[in-house]
Amino acid sequence: MLTHLSLKHFAVVSQAELVFGPGLTVISGETGAGKSLLVDALGLLSGIRADSGVVRHGAERAELAGEFRLDDVPAATAWLKEHELDEDDASSGSGCLVRRVIRADGGSRAWINGRPVTMAQLAELTAHLVEIHGQHEHQALMARGSQLALLDAYAATAPERRQVAEAAVQWSALLRERDELVAQGDVSDRIEWLEHQYLELERETLDADSIAQLLLDHRRQAHASDLIAASESAFAQLGGSDDVSVSRALQQVRHELQRVASHEPRLSEVDGMLAAAAIQIDEAGSLLDRIRDDLDIDPSLFESIEQRLARIHDLARKHRVAPEELAAHRDALEQELDALRGADRRLEKLDSEIEKTRLAWRTAADALGAKRRKAAGKLAQATTALIGELGMGGGHFGIDIEPLPADKPDPNGGERIEFMVAANPGQPPRPLRKVASGGELSRISLAIEVAALGLDAVPTMVFDEVDSGIGGAVADIVGRKLRALGASRQVLCVTHLPQVAAQGHAHYRVSKAAADGVTQSQVQQLDADQRQEELSRMLGGVELTREARAAAQRLLDDVT
């Protein structure tokens, strides 16, 4: 639901702040005062194309902002989350702020919850929030998708639509799989080539640990003589029988310190350190001795290791991967081989699976279509009756249902629909999107929405000049229908008729005045007394008579 609308330097409006609540809000004003500018502002916030003409004369840019409560719009909440445009701050509540700036040079930018977005993204989001009825370029019910959504809401087809969509997804996936397999053509040559590549790799031990150990063995054999010489020399220096060995030197140092340690207690601490060092040196010597025993110069072993390393490097170059990646490459070849070997068998199974899912989709689509056709008759009858009540006697509303080819998995079902209207007696029905009169279009839209009991998923509906070309009793009916619609949806209506304005739960008046030679419009929310005055003006013109005020009060008193 729209809760707040802010305008700044927009057309003839210098600045305006409007607060909206549930129910029916009416907007009135003198001709040319700019009351339809509020509808235009919502249209621009819905992503329609803008030009520099909407920027107030003398200003650099026009700024528009709308705040929406999303408690009852799960589709909008899901869209925001999907596009990572939802509010991170939980204290902000379930709300959304959309903003748009149009510069005097014609440029335009948009934001959702403070983050810049494209006009397409703005339009996608606001399609879940606002529906504008009246002008052709704003008319949501013009689109067949919106018409289908309204019919489905009226028919309560959510379970059937879900079954159709699920069957369509399964059918589409199987069709894609079959197309991919067929596109492969004869794969026997590919299988033969893959088998040769795979067996060549399979003959080698290619896991990372084995290759690392092979490289270590190669380095050990390549430097075996140096390793042996270094080990023997180190062993001799650490613990050999020579008087200059490290072990013997430590023993001599400890003996000399022990003779005088009684005179300096700290020397005992030094002796302890040297004793620990002697243990470490003995252990190091033992390890050197074992290493030396393990080392052996073996030319045949070295040659074998080099040959194996050469084969691994040749395979890596051939397959254009690093040696440590050969095992993963071998596994990938094996997977592809398994898939290709089973392709023929899979194709045979696919045909039966595709037929099974097609029948499942067809069954679900038939059930959905039957429910739509039954509801379409009821909605058409109810809307036709309402069109007559709204001053279009003899008019007729119908819903054409056209079957679609059953060879493709359409998630929306097996038919497409078109709202058809004959506005006057004797006229052939025409698509709603081709109805020429803006006033007729608004009243037909109102009749459809009222007949559908406000089941449209969009929470805010805007009717621009819905009462164009009517008056008297028909105007009273239009007002009552709008108020009835306001019981289930937020409704904003621009009107010039007092019978319609009196039905509003809230009332805004747009007025204009000249200041410093520049025309400006102001928007004011009316209290009870001001509403009576505004209705009196709408009834009686410039001069407000006692009779006009009394008539205005009667209109307000008649509201139920």
Side-chain angles (χ1 to χ4, degrees):
M1 181 180 76
L2 177 67
T3 59
H4 186 268
L5 180 64
S6 173
L7 314 177
K8 185 176 181 181
H9 301 315
F10 180 60
V12 292
V13 177
S14 177
Q15 187 161 350
E17 302 285 338
L18 291 84
V19 178
F20 297 99
L24 170 63
T25 297
V26 295
I27 302 162
S28 65
E30 297 178 0
T31 302
K35 54 184 179 291
S36 289
L37 286 176
L38 302 180
V39 179
D40 295 337
L42 286 172
L44 290 168
L45 284 175
S46 298
I48 69 168
R49 187 175 180 179
D51 59 58
S52 59
V54 302
V55 181
R56 185 169 174 265
H57 179 70
E60 294 182 356
R61 62 182 180 270
E63 299 182 23
L64 312 171
E67 293 183 28
F68 295 86
R69 200 176 68 208
L70 305 181
D71 300 338
D72 55 349
V73 200
T77 303
W79 187 95
L80 288 169
K81 186 174 182 179
E82 178 186 353
H83 292 80
E84 298 181 343
L85 293 169
D86 50 334
E87 285 287 1
D88 297 327
D89 184 6
S91 65
S92 63
S94 179
C96 174
L97 172 65
V98 297
R99 180 169 171 259
R100 187 170 179 183
V101 171
I102 300 103
R103 299 192 305 272
D105 62 6
S108 177
R109 295 183 64 192
W111 294 262
I112 296 175
N113 287 333
R115 299 163 193 161
V117 295
T118 65
M119 292 303 150
Q121 288 176 311
L122 184 66
E124 285 180 22
L125 171 64
T126 52
H128 298 296
L129 302 175
V130 181
E131 207 171 71
I132 300 178
H133 300 269
Q135 302 301 320
H136 286 261
E137 61 271 23
H138 298 170
Q139 177 53 270
L141 282 180
M142 295 283 200
R144 284 186 166 185
S146 297
Q147 295 174 3
L148 183 61
L150 180 60
L151 176 61
D152 280 337
Y154 182 78
T157 62
E160 290 79 9
R161 284 202 64 157
R162 185 165 51 251
Q163 291 180 0
V164 169
E166 290 172 355
V169 169
Q170 295 174 4
W171 187 8
S172 297
L174 293 173
L175 288 174
R176 284 194 302 271
E177 184 180 356
R178 185 178 66 180
D179 290 343
E180 290 170 359
L181 290 176
V182 170
Q184 292 176 353
D186 185 0
V187 295
S188 57
D189 290 342
R190 175 71 175 171
I191 289 176
E192 183 179 351
W193 182 83
L194 286 173
E195 285 177 340
H196 174 74
Q197 302 293 311
Y198 173 75
L199 291 174
E200 190 177 45
L201 293 170
E202 180 66 13
R203 284 192 288 267
E204 299 292 338
T205 304
L206 298 175
D207 61 277
D209 290 342
S210 296
I211 291 178
Q213 184 62 47
L214 184 65
L215 291 171
L216 180 61
D217 292 344
H218 181 266
R219 288 197 299 272
R220 184 183 290 116
Q221 284 295 318
H223 302 89
S225 58
D226 292 339
L227 289 170
I228 291 172
S231 297
E232 290 176 344
S233 174
F235 179 78
Q237 294 180 56
L238 287 176
S241 58
D242 194 342
D243 290 342
V244 297
S245 70
V246 174
S247 179
R248 185 174 294 277
L250 275 176
Q251 290 176 2
Q252 292 175 351
V253 170
R254 289 187 65 202
H255 179 70
E256 292 176 1
L257 291 176
Q258 288 170 357
R259 282 191 304 103
V260 297
S262 60
H263 307 302
E264 173 53 69
R266 288 177 295 178
L267 290 177
S268 295
E269 184 178 351
V270 173
D271 182 59
M273 294 179 181
L274 293 175
I279 293 173
Q280 293 290 323
I281 289 172
D282 288 343
E283 291 181 353
S286 297
L287 181 57
L288 278 170
D289 190 40
R290 291 196 300 273
I291 291 173
R292 171 62 189 85
D293 289 343
D294 291 341
L295 291 170
D296 188 18
I297 300 175
D298 187 344
S300 62
L301 176 61
F302 182 60
E303 182 180 359
S304 173
I305 293 173
E306 281 207 319
Q307 289 175 353
R308 187 179 169 201
L309 272 179
R311 290 197 303 272
I312 289 175
H313 284 292
D314 287 343
L315 288 171
R317 284 192 296 271
K318 178 178 180 179
H319 294 277
R320 298 180 181 179
V321 296
E324 57 270 19
E325 296 173 352
L326 282 170
H329 182 65
R330 176 201 61 207
D331 295 342
L333 292 179
E334 184 179 20
Q335 291 178 2
E336 186 179 354
L337 267 172
D338 291 342
L340 290 177
R341 287 166 178 159
D344 290 340
R345 295 191 299 272
R346 181 58 183 153
L347 272 174
E348 293 175 1
K349 291 183 178 180
L350 270 177
D351 287 337
S352 61
E353 290 181 17
I354 287 172
E355 180 60 19
K356 183 178 179 180
T357 56
R358 186 193 70 80
L359 290 174
W361 177 89
R362 183 72 267 172
T363 300
D366 287 344
L368 174 60
K371 205 168 185 179
R372 281 172 173 168
R373 285 188 291 274
K374 183 178 179 180
K378 292 182 179 179
L379 180 59
Q381 185 178 1
T383 303
T384 297
L386 285 166
I387 287 175
E389 290 185 51
L390 297 178
M392 299 171 64
H396 176 77
F397 175 81
I399 301 177
D400 272 5
I401 300 180
E402 178 185 350
L404 293 172
D407 57 344
K408 291 183 180 179
D410 192 323
N412 293 316
E415 56 276 318
R416 62 180 179 181
I417 72 162
E418 179 90 60
F419 286 180
M420 305 293 290
V421 176
N424 298 295
Q427 290 184 343
R430 299 174 61 209
L432 178 63
R433 54 193 165 86
K434 294 184 178 179
V435 173
S437 166
E440 288 179 346
L441 182 60
S442 289
R443 273 177 278 158
I444 293 169
S445 299
L446 173 60
I448 295 170
E449 295 290 356
V450 172
L453 305 177
L455 289 172
D456 197 314
V458 178
T460 299
M461 296 179 180
V462 183
F463 291 91
D464 185 15
E465 302 286 357
V466 68
D467 48 19
S468 176
I470 63 172
V474 174
D476 182 63
I477 293 172
V478 169
R480 293 181 186 277
K481 298 301 183 185
L482 285 167
R483 188 177 179 90
L485 186 59
S488 58
R489 288 290 181 269
Q490 182 187 46
V491 180
L492 311 181
C493 177
V494 175
T495 182
H496 66 278
L497 292 180
Q499 295 94 330
V500 175
Q503 296 290 332
H505 297 92
H507 191 154
Y508 277 96
R509 178 179 63 204
V510 182
S511 58
K512 65 178 180 178
D516 299 327
V518 178
T519 298
Q520 296 187 20
S521 289
Q522 294 182 333
V523 185
Q524 178 186 9
Q525 186 169 11
L526 305 181
D527 59 24
D529 292 337
Q530 291 168 332
R531 285 195 72 185
Q532 184 189 26
E533 290 295 299
E534 175 64 6
L535 292 179
S536 301
R537 181 198 64 77
M538 298 171 75
L539 283 164
V542 177
E543 184 178 352
L544 302 183
T545 64
R546 181 183 303 174
E547 292 78 7
R549 288 190 173 93
Q553 190 59 50
R554 282 195 300 272
L555 287 175
L556 291 171
D557 293 340
D558 287 343
V559 175
T560 56

